[in-house]
Amino acid sequence: MSSVRVPLSPRIASNHSLAALAIAAMPFIALAPAAHADEAADAEQRSTIVVTGHREPASNPNANPQAPYKVEKSANGKFTEPLRDTPRTITAIPKEVIEDMGATSFREVVRSTPGVTLGTGEGGNAFGDRIFIRGFEARNDVYIDGLRDPGVTSREIFAVEQIEIVKGPSGSFGGRGTTGGLVSLQSKRPDFLDDYLVAEGGVGTENYWRGTIDANYRLSDSVAVRVNGLYHTADTPGRDHVETERWGGTVALTAHLTDTLSVGADYYYMRLEGIPDFGHPFDVTTSRPYKVDRDNFYGVIGRDFLKNGADVASVRIEFEPTSYLSFNSITRYGKTYNHYLVAAPGAVCRVQRSGMVGNNPLTGTCPQNGTSVPTPPNQGLIPVAESEYTLNAGSQRRWAGNEYWANSTSATAEFDTGGIGHTLVLGGDYAYEKVIARQLNIAAFAEDSAGNPLPVPTAFVRNLLNPNPVLGFKIPVGPNRSLAPATTKVRSFGAYLIDTIKFSPQWSLTLGGRYDTYDMDFRNPTATNPAERQLSNRSDFLNWQVSLLYKPVEAMSLYASWATSSNPSGEQVDGSGTTYGGAASATINLEPERNEAWEAGAKYEMFGGKLLASAAVFQITKDNARENIGGNVFQTVGRLRSRGAEASITGTLADRIELFGGYTFLDAKITRTSPQNAANLGRRFANIPRHTAQLLANLLVNDRIKIGGQVFAQSKITGEGTTTLLKTPYIPGYVRFDAVAEFHPTDRLELRLNVLNLTDKRYYDAIYRSGSPFSYIAPGRSATLTAKMTF
């Protein structure tokens, strides 16, 4: 028996038009009539034909073997039907797509996913994977193997089988939060079909080195083990001084104790160290980033750092006494940490001097918005002739750790009542989380390379056009252990029931409900405001899901869905304060925010089930959004609305072209506000583009070569207007191109070339929200060559 190797397709170049790319992402509109005649026969045959063959080693068990870009089913047991027949939008990204994108981190995958946008690690929030789904915060809505992954860190993907982005309020499936949706990562698990070792090694520009292993071994007919390992180091393309080093490993074991009972255990270890980057400063007169050199870095080398890591152990039990009844339980203990100190490029000013002493201005002022502020001496860090425009390097910091226990247990049953079929999922989740955040100390002294003490400059002034971030010495940084840390403890419980009711082959109804309790205690003994030292919140809430699905033919699903979710006060436990959803005295006693949404869509399979096209329209409404009505007083009087449309296509076209693409239109704005904030009415959400589109397309030239690439386009995004800014800041839209090529010299060896940001496009990911904004600049062009050997 032989395996089928699927191609990668040539990137379909857009004419720099989002509309053109959106049309390209929906070929089923044109193909459906031609393919329909074959689909009826294909659907009937697929119900009776058993396909035999050899599955590629380490391939995704959830994907179509002949179309690895097309994921057939969710790894989340709460979604019991194939993705084609699941009545909501789920973007499933298998590892084959991740490889062809050239992505090596969760953040890089998200950057290329329509409808999901990157946020910024600001205001004391964790410098990590901050994301928005359909316009709403989702940084604490990431799940791994069915359990919430608390703690916002920088996640790796070396041990990930697939990533699923579930769109729309998901309170019935995920519990608290999940306003715009949730992200679910599936880990690689032991395989009982093959023994294999897959070793990858990559080299590239910007000092890129990456190596991974994926080894699976059957110890016996009933026991298998899988081991994954990683080492990665690279500079950030197009940025001076920004670098990252990552290393980690996983081991997972599964044992079939009987024909109906299996147990498994796994351990995940990951560490990251690097120099963080907050990008470029903003010109408040034009409300756009300053036109400085792309590689200008405004940090402090010798002080700034980023370190995070994770140690996570899980045990699972799977019991299937009959083919119609199964039980699943997973228990996890984990510890994560996130430590960083990063300079933020602050407000830029043009210095007016009077008097000089050596290289230092005796006095100076920086007129800004009609006022004058003193300019600190530059301590000789920049020559006077170059320092007409200067900015201070700030010091945003975090030293936090997260420890948690969690369990999720469920039962799935299939049965009939009066000729009506049911697939019932009944379960419950429990989690205990503890977050400890310490104040970070910046030493009052510095050290040279030999450890001798040196004086520390009182301010780090940077020249706008020619910054010199290298101190030439080291400033010790660490946690202040003489002060008690801020501690957040959360206990949460959820019970849910989801029933998929099949009235006939054409009609089905999904009903879901979930009850959650949320119990949070926050203690910060060192808070200057006594009201912020002890805070607690006890909340409970119900959420619902109702979906109706109709199948005019087997290959097509039409659906309409309604769902809710809830956001309790203090939900974002990675930080504190009102700005980013953490614990604060002004909001802690407010009722949970309530969200509801509707979605209607269609999904259609073509080419023998190898290609799936989807389209949907949706609206999410938050009717009682928390809003500051003056001073430090908050009320749930606001309304936020996100409305839009999505289209996507995944799979293999005509056995020669792989496609993975989509388009999202999103109109996200404030639709109701208090009289005190009337100026915000109609304001768009910050950092949320109106249009995003992406298409990865690859062509199988022959059985050894495939070529292709990716195009990603995004319209402009705005920041948040403040009274200190002349205009609302924004960053322009862009179109980015990537390229990929694969060559298989032998059946066991694969060579892959990825070129990211092919045209070296200068673009930005997000805007920091403040009176002195700055913008995150995306990586420049890079190229990597990866060799994959299968043994």
Side-chain angles (χ1 to χ4, degrees):
M1 292 181 288
S2 62
S3 61
V4 179
R5 182 177 296 116
V6 199
L8 233 151
S9 336
R11 161 210 331 253
I12 296 177
S14 156
N15 64 351
H16 294 74
S17 164
L18 287 165
L21 188 55
I23 293 171
M26 297 187 290
F28 66 96
I29 296 174
L31 292 171
H36 190 284
D38 295 331
E39 284 303 319
D42 288 339
E44 183 177 352
Q45 292 174 7
R46 284 201 304 274
S47 63
T48 57
I49 291 177
V50 176
V51 178
T52 60
H54 174 68
R55 184 160 61 86
E56 289 281 356
S59 61
N60 186 351
N62 302 312
N64 187 316
Q66 297 180 330
Y69 276 21
K70 181 176 179 284
V71 175
E72 300 286 358
K73 63 179 181 178
S74 170
N76 188 334
K78 297 171 186 174
F79 299 106
T80 58
E81 303 303 307
L83 290 184
R84 182 197 63 188
D85 298 332
T86 299
R88 66 185 306 146
T89 299
I90 299 178
T91 301
I93 310 171
K95 65 175 181 292
E96 289 80 6
V97 168
I98 295 173
E99 290 175 356
D100 289 346
M101 284 181 174
T104 61
S105 70
F106 178 79
R107 182 180 178 88
E108 292 171 356
V109 174
V110 170
R111 179 182 276 119
S112 297
T113 304
V116 184
T117 48
L118 294 174
T120 55
E122 62 216 37
N125 268 35
F127 194 98
D129 298 327
R130 188 178 184 213
I131 60 174
F132 295 84
I133 302 176
R134 287 185 173 173
F136 292 95
E137 181 82 62
R139 71 179 186 269
N140 277 305
D141 297 328
V142 179
Y143 295 73
I144 297 178
D145 299 331
L147 287 174
R148 188 185 298 268
D149 183 39
V152 182
T153 60
S154 301
R155 297 175 180 87
E156 246 286 351
I157 54 173
F158 70 98
V160 171
E161 196 75 71
Q162 70 186 39
I163 298 174
E164 299 173 26
I165 303 171
V166 181
K167 309 287 184 65
S170 304
S172 296
F173 298 97
R176 75 176 189 263
T178 65
T179 309
L182 60 87
V183 180
S184 178
L185 281 68
Q186 181 194 8
S187 302
K188 295 178 180 178
R189 298 179 63 179
D191 185 348
F192 281 86
L193 297 180
D194 295 291
D195 292 340
Y196 52 80
L197 170 63
V198 180
E200 287 194 30
V203 297
T205 58
E206 308 297 336
N207 298 312
Y208 174 96
W209 298 89
R210 183 179 175 90
T212 64
I213 60 166
D214 183 359
N216 187 83
Y217 186 64
R218 294 167 294 176
L219 302 177
S220 69
D221 290 340
S222 59
V223 180
V225 64
R226 190 168 182 176
V227 177
N228 284 267
L230 161 79
Y231 178 77
H232 173 109
T233 181
D235 300 338
T236 298
R239 304 293 292 136
D240 285 346
H241 307 292
V242 184
E243 59 189 21
T244 302
E245 183 180 26
R246 307 193 291 265
W247 62 97
T250 69
V251 58
L253 183 141
T254 297
H256 297 315
L257 301 183
T258 69
D259 291 341
T260 60
L261 178 63
S262 298
V263 296
D266 60 74
Y267 169 68
Y268 173 85
Y269 168 90
M270 207 281 284
R271 296 292 185 268
L272 178 150
E273 295 185 3
I275 301 297
D277 181 18
F278 264 3
H280 287 172
F282 241 74
D283 185 345
V284 296
T285 63
T286 64
S287 291
R288 295 183 64 176
Y290 272 100
K291 293 182 179 180
V292 296
D293 289 345
R294 179 196 203 126
D295 56 3
N296 276 9
F297 177 69
Y298 298 92
V300 181
I301 300 300
R303 185 200 68 174
D304 293 2
F305 73 96
L306 169 65
K307 296 182 180 181
N308 59 51
D311 293 89
V312 182
S314 305
V315 176
R316 66 170 46 86
I317 301 173
E318 299 176 353
F319 179 48
E320 189 174 354
T322 73
S323 59
Y324 304 102
L325 179 64
S326 63
F327 298 89
N328 293 273
S329 181
I330 180 171
T331 301
R332 179 173 297 158
Y333 171 74
K335 296 183 73 173
T336 65
Y337 66 87
N338 194 5
H339 306 160
Y340 65 80
L341 176 64
V342 54
V348 176
C349 59
R350 182 173 183 174
V351 179
Q352 295 179 351
R353 308 181 189 286
S354 58
M356 300 294 299
V357 176
N359 272 347
N360 298 315
L362 185 60
T363 59
T365 57
C366 178
Q368 187 175 357
N369 297 332
T371 63
S372 295
V373 294
T375 300
N378 64 21
Q379 300 286 339
L381 295 176
I382 51 179
V384 173
E386 298 178 0
S387 61
E388 185 175 11
Y389 289 90
T390 65
L391 67 158
N392 290 336
S395 57
Q396 293 186 321
R397 62 196 78 178
R398 183 172 179 83
W399 190 283
N402 186 301
E403 181 179 13
Y404 63 98
W405 286 93
N407 172 268
S408 179
T409 300
S410 65
T412 302
E414 296 182 24
F415 58 93
D416 291 340
T417 57
I420 298 175
H422 296 262
T423 302
L424 183 69
V425 182
L426 174 67
D429 304 327
Y430 172 80
Y432 168 77
E433 304 170 41
K434 182 179 180 181
V435 181
I436 295 179
R438 292 187 176 275
Q439 291 190 13
L440 199 62
N441 265 356
I442 302 177
F445 61 90
E447 296 176 349
D448 61 17
S449 58
N452 300 313
L454 295 171
V456 179
T458 58
F460 300 106
V461 181
R462 293 284 175 260
N463 173 247
L464 173 65
L465 301 179
N466 187 26
N468 177 18
V470 180
L471 294 178
F473 51 84
K474 179 180 179 181
I475 299 177
V477 178
N480 187 342
R481 299 189 181 276
S482 64
L483 295 178
T487 303
T488 305
K489 296 180 181 179
V490 174
R491 293 174 176 84
S492 58
F493 169 77
Y496 59 88
L497 185 149
I498 303 167
D499 189 8
T500 300
I501 306 166
K502 296 183 178 179
F503 299 101
S504 70
Q506 289 77 38
W507 291 96
S508 64
L509 178 69
T510 300
L511 301 175
R514 179 180 174 113
Y515 170 76
D516 281 276
T517 65
Y518 181 75
D519 187 343
M520 184 196 71
D521 286 291
F522 174 77
R523 300 289 184 269
N524 184 9
T526 62
T528 55
N529 182 358
E532 304 291 338
R533 292 176 185 170
Q534 295 187 14
L535 302 171
S536 5
N537 179 21
R538 312 284 188 271
S539 300
D540 55 49
F541 35 89
L542 280 166
N543 287 293
W544 307 95
Q545 164 89 23
V546 180
S547 302
L548 181 66
L549 184 136
Y550 171 62
K551 295 178 65 61
V553 295
E554 176 62 23
M556 175 176 283
S557 295
L558 308 175
Y559 67 90
S561 181
W562 175 84
T564 68
S565 64
S566 303
N567 301 98
S569 295
E571 168 196 0
Q572 307 294 352
V573 296
D574 60 301
S576 60
T578 60
T579 306
Y580 299 99
S585 60
T587 57
I588 198 68
N589 294 320
L590 296 178
E591 290 294 314
E593 295 178 328
R594 307 287 183 175
N595 318 291
E596 67 174 56
W598 60 261
E599 178 178 317
K603 300 182 183 183
Y604 185 53
E605 272 187 349
M606 297 169 283
F607 299 97
K610 298 176 186 177
L611 190 71
L612 178 66
S614 305
V617 293
F618 60 86
Q619 177 173 293
I620 303 172
T621 302
K622 184 187 291 289
D623 265 326
N624 55 341
R626 289 183 284 268
E627 185 176 311
N628 188 338
I629 62 170
N632 196 35
V633 179
F634 281 75
Q635 292 182 0
T636 52
V637 295
R639 174 184 291 167
L640 309 178
R641 192 207 66 203
S642 173
R643 174 187 294 170
E646 291 196 16
S648 66
I649 189 162
T650 59
T652 301
L653 172 66
D655 292 327
R656 297 193 65 81
I657 299 175
E658 283 183 339
L659 297 172
F660 184 89
Y663 164 77
T664 299
F665 166 77
L666 194 60
D667 180 21
K669 61 185 179 182
I670 301 170
T671 57
R672 186 177 66 199
T673 187
S674 65
Q676 296 89 337
N677 297 302
N680 290 332
L681 191 64
R683 185 187 296 275
R684 287 187 53 79
F685 293 3
N687 284 313
I688 305 301
R690 187 179 294 269
H691 303 275
T692 52
Q694 171 266 342
L695 182 63
L696 174 64
N698 305 304
L699 172 68
L700 179 64
V701 177
N702 54 44
D703 62 351
R704 295 293 182 188
I705 299 174
K706 55 182 180 179
I707 58 173
Q710 178 177 236
V711 57
F712 183 87
Q714 176 178 294
S715 60
K716 78 171 187 178
I717 62 175
T718 61
E720 292 192 354
T722 72
T723 56
T724 61
L725 298 180
L726 301 178
K727 303 175 185 177
T728 300
Y730 77 96
I731 52 180
Y734 63 91
V735 179
R736 187 197 77 220
F737 297 94
D738 304 331
V740 62
E742 287 187 17
F743 173 52
H744 296 255
T746 70
D747 290 341
R748 294 183 176 272
L749 177 62
E750 172 191 312
L751 301 176
R752 184 178 71 252
L753 175 66
N754 290 97
V755 182
L756 305 183
N757 196 355
L758 188 64
T759 62
D760 202 24
K761 177 69 175 180
R762 174 173 172 153
Y763 67 97
Y764 297 87
D765 285 330
I767 305 173
Y768 180 90
R769 55 194 239 183
S770 78
S772 300
F774 52 86
S775 48
Y776 282 60
I777 187 165
R781 179 171 50 228
S782 64
T784 60
L785 178 63
T786 302
K788 178 194 290 188
M789 190 71 183
T790 303
F791 301 92

